[in-house]
Structures are given as structure tokens and as C-alpha cells.
Amino acid sequence: MGSREESNSSSVEATEGNKNVSEGKKHLKKRRREDAEVLGRDNDGKEGGHGIAVAQTTDMEKTKKRKQMDKERHRIKSAEAKELVPNKVTGPSDQVPTLPPSKSLQGFHIDIFRDLSSVEVSAREAAVEALVKELQKVQKAYEKSGGTVYERNSQLEAEKDEGLKNCAPSLRYALRRLIRGVSSSRECARQGFALGLTTVLGTIQSISIDSTLELIDNLLEVSSSMKGQEARDCFLGLLFAYGALARSGRVAHEWSLNKKTSMIKEFIRVVISLADKKSYLREPAVSIILELADTLPVDAVAAHVLEAPALADWFDKAISNENPDALYLALKLREKASADSKIFCKLLPSPLTPSNLFTPDWLSSLVPCLKETTFCQPRLHSVWPVLVNILFSDVSLQKDGAVFSDSTQALKKCRKLSSTEKNLAKRLNCFCSLVIDGSLLMSSHDRKHLAFDILLLLLPRLPASCSKAILSYKLVQCLMDILSTKDSWLYKAAQYFLQELSKWAERDVDHLVAVIIALQQHSFGRFDCITHAHMVKDLVSKFNSASGCMLFVQSLMSLFIDENGSLDKGSAQATIESSEMISLDDSSYTDSSGNPDILRSWIVDSLPCVFKYLKLKLEEKLHIQREILKFLTVQGLFTASLGREVTSFELQEKLKWPKTASSSNVRKICIQQLQLLLADAEKSMGTKNESDMFITDDLGSYFMHFLDTLCNIPSVSLFRPLSKEDEEAFKKMQSMESLLLKMEEREIEVYPMRFLLVQLLLQVLLKPGEFSETASELVICYKKAFVTLTDLESTDEEHDDDTGSPAFMDVLVDTLLSLLPQSSAPLFFSIEQVFKFFSDQITESGLISMLRVVKKDLKPSRHQSVIDEEEDDAEDDFLEIEESEDMWMKQGIQMVIKAITVLKMKMQKGQLT
């Protein structure tokens, strides 16, 4: 402390010494001029007496005169130096005039201001604390002495009439220094000096607020000549200075002393005028007004803040000026005042409730303001959290760490929503359709980024029942457009959104199902394919139990049936537009008529995909397969003549159809998925353990039983009438399947023949008039293949001895080969299994027929004449196979090669001769 005192006192005395030096220099010049005149007169007198001109003076005389002048100059300098010596403090013997100890005061340390601009927060806070302590000490001593105290550093600045006469000179200097410091752009000077100004104003009550406001305006005045960085620094300095004044609490203190003070209105006028200068000043200016309102009681806010003329004019022009900060200020002041006011009439409804604010009419008027919140990106504007809080004001906040629930309670279909959830869903639909989908996602990249940020703000509080509102068609399409190209500007933002959406989906089964259905519904099952994100695949793999899988299946079925609840007008129009925007490989998804068949086709195709990533026990898998099989059978094969619902007492369940009948294209997809499902079940039959080999309750038998039950319901009929031949073949296959099932009850493994009949029955329904003859021949071959069938059936037709007819095995081979040109993958698999079953009974004629198929494709002639081609066609078309059908040919080759391999293995084992 002693060294600092000496340095401060020496600095003051050095200032006084510098003044004396300047006066000495003036005196030296004056003496120099007088000496020159004296020497000039002497020379003139001598020269005039002798009559000799100055030009004739010798060099020796000039040198002598010069030396005399140098001696005189040296004498004058030494004299001035002696005069300056008493001003130095060289020891206790020096005579320095001082005041009595009671009239002197130690000044504060100026070095403190350097630490106010430090990058370290702790250093700035320590500097402010030290500054305030010293200024309090100085001001206390100044007030105690009645203002006559002497400060050693009181001459740091010239005295000014600034209205701070009650403050010590050091305090006045500190105020000026702090106000100027908030306009500095050096490091963290604004933060540090603003903190110091706030603390000094709040601690030392003797500082006049009116004088401080005047001092701020004078020191930080923005003149017309200021441009660029200089003007920007002054604008920000004004903001920080008024913010410090608001946070100090002095304005509220002035109101407590005088309830009719005009200081609050003047304060708001200045801040509002500052906000209108530049757009980047509006949001911090609003935060300053809100900080001031937080220090005031409610009645002061209503009487002074809301009654400020500048604020009312600002609110009136907010919508026309597209000012989101005015909307934010209105929402916060309305929350603070807890009452409606006329000042909010153009921005907020009266009364302000979620149901009144989130309406199409009111939100559409606020959209221009909300679209302009992109100026503060990447930070989210303060108005959005306030709007979200109002949106969810009547909904309890869900915890982020919710445990993944997969209980059976989630399997309740058509769960009724509470009134709170219904109101929330209504508000969310309005908000997302107007603001997110209608304004932000259809605009620039910045506004799309803003839409993602807003949705991330909604997710933590969003229940699964309201997920359809935010996971809209436009959002999914926007994500697909962005993620389809890694070079897109918003690629990382979209990736981050999907990560957060995935975390939200993993809360429980309801959230998981909602996200999967939304993504697949609006992308028509191609979200992963287009985005390369594998998100749907990862989410489907999260189903870790049969109950969760069943919930997903039931949700898809409900989406198919309840077209009004799941596919509103906006979504329906979106699906129509999407068929033009996205090129799909499957032509079944394209539908130009505008009906919901596009969505239904996707649902039907998605149902069998449930088992692709999920490992279930055989019983659990069979249970889910039955539900899918019943749904596909009802929607693909049957129609109801009386209404949309039919109750089956035998099945003990209700059968439902959509309000709009499905097209033939959707029914075709249902039948194809049925065939795939049955083929998968047949494969499972081949991989069973020996103990479970003979199970009569497999999926094939269950399908035939379910089909017979539906055919016996009077109000239910097949979706198309069958011809006489098809109907006869249909009944024969039903009868034969039941006979084969009885054989399996005797532990005779004939399930490949049963599944082939089921597949062929579906082909009869899928392609009428093409398979009836083949189906009848196959039934006859089955009857001749198993002698036990004649014992099970009481008809005389099976006992006829047709000695002239060919062997049943040759007919069976020809029949199976004839099915190949029009067989699908499931039907081909069933044919292959039947070939394996009868491979040890193939005759030489049947083997030659199969080898002809192999020969025709394996060794085609390079150069054939037209005659040769005709001969080959006549020779090889015994099965009515056209040469252009390469696909079935390859399938036939594969099947024949497998059959020959089986024959070879059996011959090696000695089972064949």
C-alpha cells in the first residue's frame, strides 16, 4: 500500500512539475531574446564609434562572441534548474505545503479498471468487488467531511458540472470511466464494466439516477458522423448501460419514493427508441425492459410500464413491421401483469388462453412475426419457449428418463383420449399446420432449420397420442429431401433431429410405434431406402417382445381400417402429391385417382416385415402370423354385403372393412402377401424338431378353417364371383386339403401337398379361369398317390380302375411343370417341396420330360434357321411353354436339378433300382 501511495502522490506532483517546466521554458525564451537585444546594442555602439561595418569583423571576434552567448545560455538553464528543484519530493527536509491529516484522503487504485475487461469471470468479479469497496470508503469519508475532503487523485479529470455534486471526485471519475467502458469492444470489457456499473449504482445510493441517465446520454451519444464499428459500439454501450441501471434496482427504488415519477416511462421510451435503431438491438432491448419489470411490483408495471406511450405504439406496429420481439415482450408483460390490457389487443387474444391463442385465425396473423425469428440463429429466439409453455400449459411435463414400457396394457386398441389430450392434439394440429408446415418448411433453409429447432423443443413434452401432428407428411418429405444428399446444407441438422427423435421413440412402445408408422406412412415404406439412415430398421429392432410386435401390427391394421382418423384431407392430398414427387420401384404404389389405396398397399406390404428383425418363439410367432393372416384374408378375399362390420359367433370376433372399398390392386397385394406368409410357415414346418413335426394346428390348416368359416357366413362373400369351373376346383381343393390333414393326424407327413393346394387355391382366386383345370388334375394325382384316401372318402369315383390312363406320377410331373410358367415365388417353393416328396417315384417318362426342360435352356443353338426354330417349337412345346418366358425356365431348371440330386442320393443309398 505504501508503494502505491507514493506512486499516486508522485504522479500528482509530476503533473505540477510539468506545469512549472513549461513556465520555465517560456521564461528561458524571454531571457534569450533580451540577451540577444543587449548584445546587439553593444555591438552596434562599438561598430558605430569606429565606423567599421559588421561584415569586416574578424573570425576571432565572431568566435569570442559565440562563446559568450553559450556561457549566458548555460547560466540561464542552471538558474531554471535550481527553481525546479524544490518541487521534487527528495526527503523530509523539503518544504511541501500539505493539508492537515483530517483533510486528506487516500484515492482509489486506477489499476482496478484493467481487470474489469479480463476474460476470466472470477477476475472481473474480484475487480468489481475491490472497486466497490474502495469507492464506498472514499464516498463515506467524503460525506463525513461535508464535501471538503481533499483527494490526491482528484485532478484526474477536469471538474465538470454533471449533477453529481454529492459524489466524491473519485466516484465521479469511476462513473464516467465505467460508462465509457461499456462501449469498448476490447475482450470482455462490456461485461466487466457493466457489472461494475450495476454494482456501484446498486450499492452507493448517493448517486443521482437522473444525473446518471444524463451522463450516459452525453458520454455515449451517437452522432451523425459515426459509422460502422464506432456507431455499433456506442449502441451496444447504451444497451449495457441501461441494462446495468435496470438490474441495479435503482429505478424501482425511485418509484418507491415517488409513485408518480416519470422516470419509468422515460426509461422505456429511450430503450424502445434504441431498439428501433437496429434489428439486432431489439431482443436485448426487450430483455432490459423485462428486467426492469421484474424489479417492479405488479401495480407499478400496470401503471407505468403498460401505460408508456412508446410501448403502446410499438405493439400497434408489431405485426406490420414483422416484429417478433414485440410479441415476446407482450407475452412476458401479460404474464407479469396477470391481466389483460388494451395495449395487447392487436397481438394477443382476450382472455389469453391456449385455446384462444392457438386458433387458425389468430396464429395466421402472428405468422409474419414468427417467420422473422431466424435472424438470431443458431440460437432459438426467446418467443418460442414462451409459446411452447402456453401450448402445453395444461399438460404435465414428461420426464426424459422414462423407462421403456412394453406391457400388455399398451395393447388396448382404440384407446380413448382424455379431454386434455384431445385439446392438446387440436392445438398442435393448428400450430404445426400453420407455422411449421405452412410457413417454415416451405421457405428458406434458415426457416427449415428453425422448424427443426422448434420441433425439438416440443418433443420432450409431447405425448405419443399427439405425435401425428408434428410427424407430418411435409416434415418427413423434408427430411428425405435433405438426407438423400450428404452435401445438402441442412444434412447435419436433419441427422441431429433424427437422433433426438429416435431417443424420444425409445421411451415406450407407443412412442416407438407412432414414429415408425409416421415415417413409413409418409414415405410409403421407403424412408430408409431414400435417406440411407437405417432408422426404421433400428426402431423395428427395438421391439423386444411379442406384445410390442402385436401393438405394431394392430396399429397398422387400424390405420388400414380407420381411414378417416388416420388419413385426413391434408394427408390424402399429400399422398397424391407424393406419387408425383417420388419414383417408386413398385408400380402398385402409384394411384392417380386420389384414393387411399397407396397407403393401404404400403400397410399390406409392411405387415410381414415385422418378423424380419425380431426373433420370437414358435408359439408367439404363430400367434402374430394368425392375426396377420386373418386380416389379409378378410381384406383381400371377402366383402360384406351388410355394413362395414360383421360379427362371427364361431370365431368370436368382429370383422371390419374400411368405409371405402379396397381396389382390386390392393386385394391382389393382400393375396400375394398371404402366399408369402404361408410359404414362410411352410419353411418353418421343415425346420421343426421331431417332437413337433406333426402339428395339425399349423398356419395352412388354420387358413383353410378360417376360409371355410367365412364362406359359411351369409352376409360375407368372396370379392369376385367364381365361374363354374373355378368354383368346382375350389371345392375340390378344400375337400382334398381336409383329407390330407386327416392323414397327418395319422402321423403321415404330407404337409407339402397341403401347402401346394393352399397356394393353388389362392392362385385360382388371384387369376380366375387359369388354374381350375390344373387344380383338378392335381387333386386326382393326390388321390391316386395315396391309397388311404380311397378309404377316407366314400365316393365310388376313386375306386374306378382306369387301366388305360397314364401313370399318376407322369401326370403329376406334367401338372407341376405346367404350373411353372405362371408360378410366383411361394408357389414355386411349394412345387419344389412336392417334387422332393415324390422324387423316389418319378418314372422314366417323367424324368425325360424334366430333362427336356433342362436341355432346352442349357444348350440353345447358336445358328438356327426358321425351319429349325419351328421344328424345335413343335417338338418342345408339349407343355405349351413359350420360348420367351425365361424366368419360369430358370426356376424349372433349378427344380429339376434338385430333383435329380435327390434321385441320385436315393440310388446311392439303395432306395431305388
Side-chain angles (χ1 to χ4, degrees), residues 542-593:
K542 300 295 181 182
F543 290 114
N544 52 12
S545 66
S547 58
C549 185
M550 180 60 71
L551 176 63
F552 180 53
V553 170
Q554 290 178 348
S555 300
L556 291 176
M557 295 177 183
S558 300
L559 187 64
F560 188 98
I561 300 297
D562 190 12
E563 59 188 35
N564 292 328
S566 61
L567 192 66
D568 54 7
K569 294 182 180 179
S571 299
Q573 182 64 26
T575 55
I576 299 172
E577 296 174 357
S578 64
S579 62
E580 302 175 357
M581 296 172 59
I582 304 176
S583 60
L584 300 175
D585 297 335
D586 190 355
S587 60
S588 62
Y589 283 114
T590 58
D591 190 352
S592 59
S593 62

Side-chain angles (χ1 to χ4, degrees), residues 99 434 712 806 842:
L99 293 174
L434 287 176
N712 294 328
I842 295 178

Side-chain angles (χ1 to χ4, degrees), residues 356-367:
N356 290 338
L357 180 60
F358 293 95
T359 57
D361 295 337
W362 206 270
L363 275 182
S364 59
S365 64
L366 299 181
V367 164

Side-chain angles (χ1 to χ4, degrees), residues 57-72:
T57 305
T58 61
D59 295 337
M60 187 178 294
E61 290 177 349
K62 291 181 179 179
T63 304
K64 186 177 180 180
K65 291 179 181 179
R66 190 180 298 112
K67 289 182 178 180
Q68 289 178 355
M69 293 178 66
D70 291 339
K71 288 180 180 179
E72 185 66 21

Side-chain angles (χ1 to χ4, degrees), residues 488-511:
S488 58
W489 188 74
L490 293 174
Y491 186 79
K492 290 186 178 180
Q495 270 192 330
Y496 179 73
F497 178 79
L498 284 186
Q499 291 175 4
E500 296 300 316
L501 182 63
S502 179
K503 293 178 182 178
W504 179 80
E506 293 176 9
R507 286 183 173 182
D508 54 30
V509 176
D510 290 332
H511 291 77

Side-chain angles (χ1 to χ4, degrees), residues 324-341:
D325 301 289
L327 175 61
Y328 171 64
L329 181 59
L331 289 170
K332 295 298 291 184
L333 289 179
R334 168 62 179 78
E335 179 183 348
K336 175 69 176 178
S338 301
D340 295 311
S341 176

Side-chain angles (χ1 to χ4, degrees), residues 235 238-239 242 269-278 281:
F235 283 136
L238 286 169
L239 274 180
Y242 277 94
R269 184 194 67 79
V270 175
V271 175
I272 291 295
S273 64
L274 185 62
D276 291 334
K277 300 291 184 183
K278 299 291 181 180
L281 299 175

Side-chain angles (χ1 to χ4, degrees), residues 123-141:
R124 297 198 300 267
E125 293 177 350
V128 170
E129 185 178 357
L131 175 64
V132 172
K133 286 182 179 179
E134 293 193 9
L135 290 178
Q136 281 181 320
K137 184 178 179 181
V138 170
Q139 182 62 22
K140 185 176 181 181

